[in-house]
Amino acid sequence: MTTQTSTPAPAGKTGFQLPKWAGSFGFQIIAALIVGLGLGLLAKYTGSTKANPNALGTTLQTIGSSYVSLLQTAVVPLIFTAVVSSISNLRAVSNAARLAWNTLLWFAITSLIAVLIGIGLGVLLQPGAGTGINQEAKYAGKSGDWWAFLTGLFPKNFLGLGATTTVTDGVATTAVSFNVLQILVIAIAVGIAALKVGKAAEPFLALNASALAVIQKVLWWIIRIAPLGTVGLIGNAVAVYGWDTIGSLGKFTVAIYIGLALVLFAVYPALIRSHGLSVRQYFSGVWPAVQLAFVSRSSIGTLPLTQRVTERSLGVPRAYASFAVPLGATTKMDGCAAIYPAVAAIFVAQFFGIQLDFSQYLLIALVSVLGSAATAGTTGAVVMLTLTLSTLGLPLAGVGLLLAIDPILDMGRTAVNVAGQALIPAIVAKRQGILDETLYNAPRNGDPFSEDREDSDNSNDVDGTVDPSAAAAPVAGRDDRDLADARA
């Protein structure tokens, strides 16, 4: 009898393993984009349409819409708990007022740069001239206006929720929506009140922090399946709209994407370099959030990942990042509220043969810089465009011309929005001397969830108990560390 001996495999190396690059979040998103594009084209060329989708088209639409619904489900509790925690965390920051002011100032500066780029491209490329489209398109959607923005600041209920009921063929359907701006106002008021109450509010703040940790854990589970959602979202976009819908609006589409590319790959790197930071490190750190924003078309849905990369990859202190990133997700929109309305307003004017003068170009810039907040909680870009057009006195019917390609444009707009929402906290933190440059310059592994796995391996205590102090922290696991821990 012969005895065979085998050498045990090293721990953690058993069985077949994918290459390290194949397990990265970025690679999975890119692979999902390619698969989604292929399935979308297959659905389109097998007869799937928006009105009558075939089996593949229906499947892609269901996967995409279900994933977005999952993201939106946690938005309301996430924003409320995150903002309340961020305000309570500002107690640990000595110059909180200065940080807030500088954040808003840099929001405005980058928005102004973006809108000037949009105006320049509109004037240079003339996207509304010679389109060959008739003028029958109508727009009957929601219009943005300043008065609606001011009245919208006052919540109608504690959660800023609203409901609309439609009746079709005798069947009533009720849809629930939420106003992000109202939720933000409520959370700010509750957070400030908790600080004023003092010691008596400590149990509430601990409960809020614990709730935030639970909500973020659920959101991480949702974000982990982003590649699956990407297949559905991109596939459905291609199957329903197709790249051929660009058609006669090709010049407008090119103008928008050139503007987005200039902001993302020229303006942002210039700002980063001017502050003595590495451009490569910025992009490698923020790229997972930019990818998710591109496919989800939701700054709010991407908020958890944006905040994570801002803290863990860009080295922004949590006490500040948890204030600046949620604020940016609702009001910092260089793509939707700067480049797009500038180019689109010039397109509408050129399409209807209306000559714009210098004062109207200044008005476009003013509306774009100040109007971002007016689109919070809405389908940002379309409402921002109607706000710009109504302020300039241009025909709102022009919006209807652009709706056909809006989903294609929205992917790029949202990606730029999210990149800016992570950029500004990093710049402000650097200027105020609180940026952890060691963390900023640390090597990246392309996986925003790697620390979660390490936390899971290290967090199982023998007696199964949880440290009460950890429950009071705003984020679970390694998010419990503060800036001093990161520097150590």
Side-chain angles (χ1 to χ4, degrees), residues 25 67 71 219-227 292 301 304-305 449:
F25 184 74
Y67 183 73
L71 283 174
L219 272 166
W220 288 129
W221 293 341
I222 297 172
I223 292 174
R224 281 177 184 272
I225 62 172
L292 181 60
L305 188 54
F449 311 106

Side-chain angles (χ1 to χ4, degrees), residues 30-252:
I30 293 174
L33 282 170
I34 297 173
V35 173
L37 176 62
L39 292 177
L41 290 173
L42 178 62
K44 182 173 180 61
Y45 290 112
T46 53
S48 183
T49 63
K50 184 176 183 179
N52 297 297
N54 58 21
L56 178 57
T58 301
T59 301
L60 292 172
Q61 181 182 23
T62 302
I63 293 174
S65 60
S66 297
Y67 183 73
V68 173
S69 296
L70 285 174
L71 283 174
Q72 292 176 341
T73 299
V75 163
V76 173
L78 172 68
I79 292 178
F80 179 84
T81 54
V83 172
V84 171
S85 286
S86 69
I87 292 176
S88 65
N89 289 340
L90 286 177
R91 292 175 298 179
V93 182
S94 59
N95 56 344
R98 183 185 302 173
L99 285 173
W101 162 248
N102 277 272
T103 301
L104 295 174
L105 177 62
W106 277 97
F107 280 1
I109 290 173
T110 51
S111 293
L112 179 60
I113 295 173
V115 74
L116 290 177
I117 290 175
I119 292 174
L121 289 171
V123 173
L124 179 64
L125 299 180
Q126 299 285 304
T131 62
I133 307 174
N134 59 43
Q135 300 185 17
E136 297 177 356
K138 303 295 181 183
Y139 176 69
K142 182 177 179 181
S143 299
D145 63 83
W146 296 104
W147 185 249
F149 163 62
L150 294 175
T151 57
L153 288 172
F154 299 94
K156 295 180 176 62
N157 53 68
F158 179 71
L159 294 177
L161 296 175
T164 56
T165 301
T166 57
V167 179
T168 305
D169 297 330
V171 179
T173 303
T174 300
V176 177
S177 61
F178 56 88
N179 188 308
V180 175
L181 191 60
Q182 291 182 4
I183 298 171
L184 195 63
V185 170
I186 293 169
I188 291 173
V190 172
I192 294 175
L195 291 183
K196 294 296 184 181
V197 168
K199 186 176 181 180
E202 290 298 328
F204 166 75
L205 292 177
L207 175 62
N208 180 83
S210 180
L212 175 59
V214 173
I215 293 165
Q216 287 193 326
K217 178 59 67 176
V218 173
L219 272 166
W220 288 129
W221 293 341
I222 297 172
I223 292 174
R224 281 177 184 272
I225 62 172
L228 178 61
T230 298
V231 172
L233 290 166
I234 296 299
N236 182 63
V238 174
V240 171
Y241 302 98
W243 303 116
D244 56 338
T245 57
I246 296 176
S248 55
L249 294 174
K251 190 183 294 186
F252 174 75

Side-chain angles (χ1 to χ4, degrees), residues 312 451-460 476-479:
R312 295 187 174 184
E451 295 187 13
D452 283 344
R453 286 190 284 273
E454 294 173 13
D455 294 337
S456 177
D457 293 339
N458 298 328
S459 62
N460 295 324
R478 284 198 178 183
D479 280 349

Side-chain angles (χ1 to χ4, degrees), residues 18-28 445-446:
L18 290 172
K20 183 177 180 181
W21 54 265
S24 71
F25 184 74
F27 172 80
Q28 293 169 5
N445 62 6

Side-chain angles (χ1 to χ4, degrees), residues 375-437:
T375 67
T378 65
T379 52
V382 174
V383 175
M384 185 64 197
L385 177 56
T386 64
L387 177 65
T388 306
L389 295 181
S390 59
T391 303
L392 294 171
L394 296 174
L396 288 181
V399 181
L401 299 168
L402 306 176
L403 288 179
I405 59 171
D406 191 70
I408 295 173
L409 301 177
D410 198 29
M411 294 186 290
R413 292 189 311 235
T414 308
V416 172
N417 292 345
V418 166
Q421 291 157 15
L423 171 74
I424 299 305
I427 288 178
V428 173
K430 169 66 175 178
R431 294 176 67 88
Q432 298 299 316
I434 60 174
L435 184 71
D436 184 356
E437 295 192 47

